[in-house]
Amino acid sequence: MSDRISEKREPSDAAIWLGLADNAFTRQKTVKFGDASAVNSGRFYSILIVCGLIMLWVLSSRLGLVKEFYWPTVGGTIERVILLVTEGFRNVSLWEHIGISVYRVLSGVLYGAIVGIPLGFAMGLSSTARGLFDPIVEFMRPIPPLALIPLIILWFGIDETAKIFLLFLASLFIMTIAARSGVSSVRISKVHAAYSLGASKMQILRHVILPNALPEIFTGLRTAMGVCWGTVVAAELVAADKGVGSMIMIAKNFLQTDTVVIGIIIIGIIGYIIEIFMRYLERWLIPWKGKG
């Protein structure tokens, strides 16, 4: 009897949160492989791998397996973090370096979305727009932003506009393709059903095409955010004296490996925080994603 009771016992909230047990919705599914909604968080394994990497770093520091020139020790990195927080880097506070980098990335992605989403919708809904812009988009999309730095300096100089414009280009074509793909993924049966009910073109755009394209647009936003964080170091090479990328490049010139690693970790942590925020925003704004 006690065995039956234990078998029916519900898993704890902690086990569900860690991804060690399925929630009530997932437990009802008879087929899980191939169903993305049946995949749990797996937070336990995420925590495990992070702790494992930290322990590996600590052991390598204690045993002296890697020279500090190539990779800093844990103690040296912590001391450098304290120094950066209290004194800043090259007379600029660490928070100002982080703030300016976040501002540049968000500005580039925002402008890229403002231009790219309407452009992608136009390409997905109009043969004329697709014919006009498709060659430009497909030509520019594979070109790395780094290759555009000399031209951007010639066009905009070395002020803030040049850096944001580089990040704008890095996100523009990603957002355009995501929006175009979102429009193309709309089921034609839904459009026909809306027309049969007397909907106008604007109503179809607002109530049919836009909601169905939003999942693809959010995927494009998340991709553009990651690409722009990867590009921010290059953007801040353009005569910048502030920003995490600038801090990394200057520290590299003075062989301050610990500062370089700290800058890389900061970029990774902020990028991860933005990604988590985008996931929650997507769940809130697009609750119908993956439900047909």
Side-chain angles (χ1 to χ4, degrees), residues 3-4 7 23 43 49 92 123 173 183 238 251 259-260 270:
D3 293 336
R4 292 180 181 178
E7 287 176 1
N23 56 32
R43 291 189 180 95
I49 190 64
V92 179
M123 292 173 65
F173 303 109
V183 173
V238 186
T259 303
V260 173
I270 295 176

Side-chain angles (χ1 to χ4, degrees), residues 33-230:
F33 182 78
D35 185 356
S37 64
V39 178
N40 60 34
S41 65
R43 291 189 180 95
F44 172 77
Y45 303 103
S46 299
I47 295 171
L48 192 65
I49 190 64
V50 171
C51 292
L53 290 173
I54 293 174
M55 287 301 299
L56 184 62
W57 189 7
V58 171
L59 287 174
S60 63
S61 299
R62 291 285 181 88
L63 300 176
L65 299 177
V66 182
K67 294 182 179 179
E68 291 188 34
F69 177 80
Y70 299 107
W71 191 263
T73 62
V74 175
T77 304
I78 293 174
E79 290 177 3
R80 178 65 67 175
V81 168
I82 295 172
L83 192 64
L84 290 173
V85 170
T86 55
E87 299 183 9
F89 183 79
R90 295 178 66 87
N91 299 321
V92 179
S93 71
L94 178 62
W95 308 117
E96 190 172 352
H97 281 295
I98 294 173
I100 194 65
S101 291
V102 172
Y103 165 76
R104 288 165 180 163
V105 169
L106 294 181
S107 297
V109 173
L110 176 63
Y111 294 138
I114 289 173
V115 177
I117 292 175
L119 181 59
F121 269 62
M123 292 173 65
L125 296 170
S126 168
S127 300
T128 303
R130 184 154 191 161
L132 288 172
F133 297 111
D134 192 63
I136 299 172
V137 171
E138 294 300 334
F139 175 79
M140 293 296 296
R141 181 176 60 87
I143 298 176
L146 286 171
L148 302 174
I149 289 179
L151 278 177
I152 290 174
I153 293 176
L154 289 174
W155 294 343
F156 299 102
I158 57 175
D159 60 0
E160 196 69 19
T161 305
K163 303 170 186 63
I164 294 178
F165 186 75
L166 180 63
L167 295 170
F168 160 73
L169 290 179
S171 64
L172 171 63
F173 303 109
I174 295 174
M175 295 307 308
T176 301
I177 292 172
R180 186 185 68 185
S181 176
V183 173
S184 302
S185 67
V186 178
R187 293 181 183 177
I188 192 63
S189 59
K190 295 182 178 180
V191 177
H192 287 168
Y195 272 124
S196 67
L197 293 172
S200 64
K201 289 183 178 180
M202 286 303 299
Q203 288 174 325
I204 288 174
L205 177 63
R206 178 181 176 184
H207 298 290
V208 179
I209 296 176
L210 181 59
N212 284 274
L214 276 177
E216 294 281 355
I217 290 173
F218 259 84
T219 300
L221 273 172
R222 289 161 60 180
T223 304
M225 196 72 70
V227 170
C228 282
W229 268 112

